[in-house]
Amino acid sequence: MSTFTVGLGVLGGVVLAGVVGWNAWTTRRLTPRQAEAAPRVEPAADREPVEPTLESGFTMSPGSADSDVPPLPMPEKKPGLDALIDALAPIAVEGPVSGEAALAALPATRRAGSKPFGIEGLDAASGQWETPQAGHRYTAFQAGVQLANRVGPLNEIEFSEFVIKAQAFADAVNGSPEFPEMLHEVSRARELDQFAGGHDAQLGFTLRARHAAWSPGYVQQNAARLGFVAGAIPGRMVLPAMQPGNPPILVLTFDTQAALAEDPTQAAIREVSLSLDVPQVHRTEQPFLRMCEAAIALAEGMDGVVTDDNGQVIQPEGMDVIGADLEKLYDMLESRDLAAGSQLARRVFS
């Protein structure tokens, strides 16, 4: 075999190795990143006992240690009617009304147009207003309709529907309602809606993959390390509030079709969204700080970049500016007795 032939063979081998290497690199680059396999769990008898600890699920910034976090508010009662955000109509009755009779008289729907509608009774035993319950007796009632929500202010048609429903309930329990003046309540509704519209905030970050895409399992595994849990909708994860029953602090979403794919390992996700509904979350939860820390941690762990909705990279100093503006917003909401995360704020900003 001549030297030329040997040289051609060597060159062909080099080229073939290069093509195989290129194909392997390309395949690896295009294949979505996969979740790591769960570590093997040793039998309990073979492990040393471990003292249980509470992990926050995110990296605390300087100055945000546990000792610096203000205490969370006590659990609130179930939201009831309130003159601040509801148009109220007191209903006088001739004598005590049973809870069973009140429940039977309630309208089939609890809305007047797009606004929540409710009936409360004055419990004869406790002297507290509450939603009618079987086994209780009530000495008075009040009907209410919410003045504004994110759909808009209460209008004349919705107020009229409120009057019709409240009157029907009053008739059924032998009560006499006293309705507020419609134009006054509609005016209050517009003013509340104007304030709410000017002080609403829903923030969002977008995490975009720098190179390889992500599989659903990879996203879920990285988010779970920060405390996120699966939501009710495929492609949605939430960071739960510290107080059970409160709305989630943060919501992480990605492509629903990818989450429902027959083979999730082959579903490619190139971006996920991280959002915060400001009026729904107590400022004591430090939601924006945790949003920034979660976004940065996810970006570092998943080889991604944090951007706004327009694809512009968000720098740390930009996050600081947003955080300062949010503090002013919190103060404004509190000055109106609509503190972020309160029951009243959740109702108005919904």
Side-chain angles (χ1 to χ4, degrees), residues 6-18:
V6 173
L8 284 178
V10 172
L11 178 60
V14 171
V15 171
L16 179 61

Side-chain angles (χ1 to χ4, degrees), residues 96 121-128 130 135-139:
L122 185 62
D123 186 270
S126 68
Q128 301 293 319
E130 65 180 27
H136 292 218
R137 295 176 69 80
Y138 301 98
T139 57

Side-chain angles (χ1 to χ4, degrees), residues 21 119 122 156 164 178 185 191 199 208 220 230 239 268 270:
I119 298 283
L122 185 62
E156 290 85 349
I164 293 172
E178 182 179 346
E185 296 304 310
E191 192 276 332
H199 297 84
R208 303 181 190 277
Q220 292 163 346
L239 183 63
R270 298 208 63 85

